[in-house]
């Protein structure tokens, strides 16, 4: 059974039975940066562990949350240039973290990418999180937890093959280095080669991540974490105009596998390296110190053409995105954690200081009049050339000090309060242009109350804030101002003794001021308010010893102001309704012993184009997934996964451009464990 489910269940049992020893059951430290059971956190959170990732054969990071409430996954179709999410109706572009430290996605497609094979779980914290993480979008954050050394020797070797030219080899081995076990290692490696979703596109990835854990003493542990990843190939142009994708034309529709880019010249070269560590020292029964740090470096060359607007019934003007640059980033988070107990209370105090620094430089040679293309019979003209060179120097330096106190009273009440102060310096320079750098300070607050009731019912109320110091310029050349978010959330968490799992429900009201919204050009506009109100329902659990159910429903009503006269309009891309259901059944008796079957359905409701562009509506769609696995013996497992089982053709959404969703994917795998 899922380790996360067992932990959640144990936490719920502890909360219901006052006679049980009050041991902390670790589910995730992402929500509060201290070890706290999921069901004792007055915030909406979700966890996806490596078992689920493996069962669903997740090979793209933006597919991780497909069966969780509050997340819109891969809204831009199959864009291999980046991992895309929307959380509670807000872009997750700057919401990605790994091992509690920010992954930078800044400065013109210089965006860190995460490989799911290297993860032991993914934590999803919904709503503003600036109290603990500093700058963050209001919709939430997603924290990837790297695979790390284990005390017991273990290993996995896997080969995969599938349609679209999919080929993959992966290895994951770990265990003790010394006889005493005070030094442990892990090595994760992967090679993947596959054709893109569109004709003439492809991508090859090499990834490896070594790690080493050393017990320096009985009270001190140091874990070293490193990773290397390289992608290269011909990127898919996922941008289609509404004309020919959503809207009918005299010539029919543009096929979803038609690449409107320039295959002869388009190229993606993406390389990233990270080196870091985690240090933990326990002073006594009350105090301990934790420090996470990471240095990251990324290099990118990207050239990709796209249709920008229709010239007549068949031909479109085509533009070019051209980036050549790199960044270096350093992040460190220091935490002192103190815990005190009395007969009727448990108090956990968190005091932290974190620092992050980003230095990005890149060349842009965008050309908005690259060439022209017949969208129904695309042929590369060979006439397009990159635009004039523009050099950018962008970055940020941020220091944050935060304090959070969590008080548990009489094994019934949980009170949470926190505050944080940030100072940020933003660098925003362009050769030959104005220096639009700026600095800012920000206070962020959070608070919550939760009641651990009988029968596993735990209602809560919380308030949280966020801020985002935006880098870049609007179409007029003016620097962006920081955006701020505020949220109220009322929820209920349910984990009865009879269910090995949990059910959570939450309603929320979330606003962001000085929000960014697409302009149809090279940069976004800023101003007005983005307002998200919604309801989320999520459940994960074993309803029998063999059948596990994962279900989610999301209602999100997002409105946005796009001008002084256009206010509270339905935001583009975001459907009001989403629902998903995944069933896993493992046979444990008779001739079918060792067989596992899985089936899933994902419903995405109607959405609209961004209101400043058009009144185009995008139809709702339902996609089905399936899985079958068989344990040949204690070491060998064969598995087949099918995504979009019926090969449904659909548009995932429109935001000036429209985006086709993923076609049917079939992946077969053979795994050997030891």
């Amino acid at each position: 059974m899922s380790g996360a489910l067992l932990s959640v269940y144990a936490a719920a049992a502890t909360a219901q039975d006052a006679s049980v020893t009050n041991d902390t059951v670790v589910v995730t430290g992402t929500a509060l940066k201290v070890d706290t059971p999921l069901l004792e956190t007055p915030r909406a959170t979700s966890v996806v562990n490596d078992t689920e990732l493996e069962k669903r054969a997740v090979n793209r990071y933006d597919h991780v949350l497909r069966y969780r409430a509050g997340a819109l996954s891969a809204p831009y179709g199959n864009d291999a240039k980046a991992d895309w999410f929307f959380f509670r109706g807000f872009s997750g572009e700057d919401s990605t973290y790994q091992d509690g430290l920010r992954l930078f996605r800044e400065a013109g497609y210089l965006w860190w990418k995460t490989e799911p094979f290297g993860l032991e779980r993914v934590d999803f914290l919904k709503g503003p999180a600036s109290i603990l993480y500093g700058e963050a979008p209001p919709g939430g954050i997603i924290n990837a937890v790297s695979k790390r050394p284990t005390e017991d020797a273990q290993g996995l070797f896997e080969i995969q093959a599938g349609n679209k030219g999919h080929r993959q080899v992966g290895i994951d081995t770990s265990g003790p280095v010394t006889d005493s076990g005070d030094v442990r290692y892990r090595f994760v490696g992967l090679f993947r080669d596959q054709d893109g979703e569109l004709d003439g596109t492809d991508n090859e990835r090499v990834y490896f991540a070594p790690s080493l854990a050393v017990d320096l003493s009985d009270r001190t542990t140091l874990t070293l974490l490193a990773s290397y990843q390289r992608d290269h190939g011909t990127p898919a142009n996922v941008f289609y105009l509404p004309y020919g994708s959503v809207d009918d034309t005299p010539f029919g529709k543009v096929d979803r596998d038609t690449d409107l880019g320039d295959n002869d010249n388009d190229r993606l070269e993406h390389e990233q390296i990270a080196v870091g560590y985690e240090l933990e020292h326990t002073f006594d029964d009350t105090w301990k110190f934790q420090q996470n740090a990471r240095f990251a470096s990324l290099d990118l060359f990207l050239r990709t053409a796209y249709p920008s607007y229709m010239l007549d019934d068949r031909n479109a003007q085509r533009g070019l995105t051209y980036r050549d640059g790199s960044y270096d980033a350093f992040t460190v988070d220091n935490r002192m954690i103190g815990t005190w107990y009395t007969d009727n209370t448990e108090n956990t105090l968190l005091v932290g200081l974190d620092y992050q620094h980003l230095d990005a430089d890149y060349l842009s040679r965008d050309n908005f009049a690259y060439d022209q293309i017949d969208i129904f019979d695309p042929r590369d003209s060979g006439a397009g050339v990159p635009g004039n060179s523009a050099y950018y120097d962008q970055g940020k330096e941020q220091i944050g000090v935060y304090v959070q106190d969590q008080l548990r009273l009489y094994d019934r009440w949980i009170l949470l309060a926190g505050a944080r102060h940030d100072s940020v310096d933003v660098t925003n320079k362009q050769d030959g242009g104005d220096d639009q750098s700026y600095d800012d300070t920000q206070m962020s607050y959070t608070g919550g109350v939760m009641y651990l009731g009988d029968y596993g019912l735990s209602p809560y109320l919380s308030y949280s804030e966020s801020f985002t110091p935006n880098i870049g310029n609007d179409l007029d050349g003016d620097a962006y101002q920081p955006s701020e978010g505020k949220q109220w959330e009322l929820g209920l968490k349910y984990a009865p003794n009879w269910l090995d799992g949990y059910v959570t429900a939450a309603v929320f009201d979330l606003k962001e001021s000085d929000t960014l919204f697409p302009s149809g050009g090279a940069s976004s506009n800023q101003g007005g308010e983005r307002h998200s109100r919604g309801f989320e329902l999520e459940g994960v659990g074993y309803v029998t010893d063999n059948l596990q159910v994962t279900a989610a429903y999301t209602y999100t009503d997002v409105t946005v102001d796009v001008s002084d006269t256009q206010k509270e309009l339905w935001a583009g891309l975001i459907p009001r309704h989403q629902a998903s259901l995944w069933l896993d059944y493992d046979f444990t008796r008779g001739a079918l012993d060792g067989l596992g079957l899985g089936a899933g359905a994902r419903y995405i409701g109607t959405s609209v184009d961004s209101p400043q562009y058009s009144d185009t509506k995008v139809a709702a769609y339902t996609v089905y997934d399936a899985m079958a696995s068989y344990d040949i013996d204690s070491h060998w497992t064969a598995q087949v996964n099918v995504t979009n089982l019926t090969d449904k053709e659909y548009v995932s959404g429109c935001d000036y451009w429209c985006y086709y969703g993923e076609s049917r994917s079939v992946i077969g795998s053979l795994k050997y464990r030891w």
Side-chain angles (χ1 to χ4, degrees), residues 27 32 69 110 123 142 186 252 279 298 339-341 361 379 426 432 437 439 443 503 505 552 602 666:
V27 175
L32 301 179
L110 296 173
D123 300 334
I142 178 172
R186 190 159 192 166
L279 175 67
L298 185 150
T339 306
W340 298 269
Y341 300 93
D361 299 280
R379 298 176 183 178
V426 174
S437 305
D439 58 76
M443 285 294 301
V503 177
R602 295 176 280 120
V666 182

Side-chain angles (χ1 to χ4, degrees), residues 241 309-318 371-373:
L241 297 168
Y309 57 88
M310 294 301 300
L311 296 169
D312 53 41
D313 287 347
R314 293 188 63 95
N315 296 289
Q317 179 67 56
R318 196 159 59 166
D371 63 3
Q372 299 175 11
I373 188 172

Side-chain angles (χ1 to χ4, degrees), residues 371-417:
D371 63 3
Q372 299 175 11
I373 188 172
D374 183 340
I375 64 173
F376 300 101
D377 186 21
R379 298 176 183 178
D380 292 333
S381 68
V385 295
N388 295 327
S389 298
Y391 295 90
Y392 293 87
D393 177 10
Q394 297 182 345
K396 64 180 66 174
E397 186 174 32
Q398 178 181 326
I399 298 177
V401 180
Y402 57 91
V403 59
Q404 174 185 272
D405 192 69
Q406 182 181 11
L407 178 64
R408 181 183 175 122
L409 298 173
Y410 300 100
D411 287 329
R412 288 293 187 180
W413 291 96
I414 293 177
L415 305 177
L416 179 70

Side-chain angles (χ1 to χ4, degrees), residues 432-484:
D434 296 333
D435 183 354
Q436 296 180 325
S437 305
Y438 68 92
D439 58 76
D440 186 40
T441 60
Q442 186 77 27
M443 285 294 301
S444 304
Y445 301 95
T446 190
V449 57
M450 182 179 228
Y451 180 74
L452 305 177
D454 296 326
Y455 311 109
L457 289 167
S458 301
Y460 68 89
L461 175 68
S462 68
Y463 171 80
S464 54
E465 297 180 347
S466 69
F467 81 101
T468 305
N470 304 296
I471 293 181
N473 314 80
D474 61 22
L475 290 178
D476 296 326
D478 296 326
Y480 296 135
Q481 298 299 310
S483 302
E484 299 181 14

Side-chain angles (χ1 to χ4, degrees), residues 98-101 120-121 143-149 184 211-216 220-226 275-281 289-294 332-333 335:
Q98 186 151 353
D99 301 320
L101 299 174
E120 66 179 32
R121 76 170 192 270
N143 181 38
V145 180
S146 303
K147 289 179 177 177
R148 55 204 59 216
R184 303 168 296 281
S211 57
L212 188 71
V214 181
D215 295 331
L216 302 177
T220 307
T221 299
L222 175 67
T223 302
L224 305 174
L225 299 164
V275 179
Y277 66 86
E278 297 178 348
L279 175 67
E280 179 169 327
H281 175 74
F289 172 75
Q290 297 174 341
Q291 183 183 70
N292 295 14
R294 179 172 61 231
V332 60
D333 185 18
R335 303 179 298 278

